[in-house]
Amino acid sequence: SDVCSSDLGTAGGVSGTVRGVSGSGDVVVRLDAFGGQGGVARAAYDGSAGAAVALDNAVSGSTTGYLSLSQSASGGMGGDSTGTGRVGAGGAASSRLIVSDSQASGLALSATAMGGRSGSDLTGSVGANQGGGATAIAAGTSSRAGAWVDVSARASGGQSAQTAQAGQALATSQATAASGGSAYSSASADSQSRAEAVATANGGHERSASAQANQYNLGGGATTTSSAQTSQQGAAAARSLAADS
């Protein structure tokens, strides 16, 4: 099998692509991108925001064997405060992976987005700031008869000392298989404030879709979890939503 991987990260933002190619062997391609942390707030100055990260079809590959593509975007943490200035906001993260394939015997896709947390108030006097929002979208389609398609999306909103300012999370996954194939789709999202997950599976011989959303509290209070799963011969769809009340 052929394996390609890369880690990217800079203080001001990230960009890049990774591609893997084989005639008939298995191909595994992975890209992880990290935003830099915001500057620390000193004296009366405010902390700077963490770097946002946006990946759009940053991985690709080609083979008649197994093809696995995954990408992960992580927003940078906001700058802490050691004085009277405000902490920095967390960087937003988005990961979008849309693939149509006609060659691979099996297609696996994964898109992950992790919003950066807001900075920490080290003096206990300046309050919170926004956590970075997170959006993960993955969709895979195979037109090869008998090929299976497995697609997953995961999003996690950036944390904040105040729930209302935490980053929201949205994960959407869609898998479409051709005749004789199987389609599997899963989506998960978690956030202090609002999390939504949607998964759909179409075509093929077998279809399965599952979605889970989780809203939690940093202080250990009540947690809201919503989940849905379906497996059937027709099109399968699942949607879950969890939000702070």
Side-chain angles (χ1 to χ4, degrees), residues 85-138:
R86 195 179 186 194
V87 302
S94 65
S95 181
R96 178 179 177 272
L97 183 58
I98 311 294
V99 177
S100 293
D101 183 80
S102 62
Q103 297 181 328
S105 60
L107 175 64
L109 304 181
S110 173
T112 301
M114 310 283 285
R117 68 162 178 81
S118 71
S120 296
D121 175 9
L122 303 181
T123 66
S125 62
V126 299
N129 204 336
Q130 290 290 129
T135 301
I137 300 172

Side-chain angles (χ1 to χ4, degrees), residues 119-164:
S120 296
D121 175 9
L122 303 181
T123 66
S125 62
V126 299
N129 204 336
Q130 290 290 129
T135 301
I137 300 172
T141 301
S142 175
S143 59
R144 174 173 167 173
W148 55 265
V149 180
D150 190 337
V151 180
S152 65
R154 177 172 180 254
S156 180
Q159 297 176 346
S160 174
Q162 294 182 6
T163 296

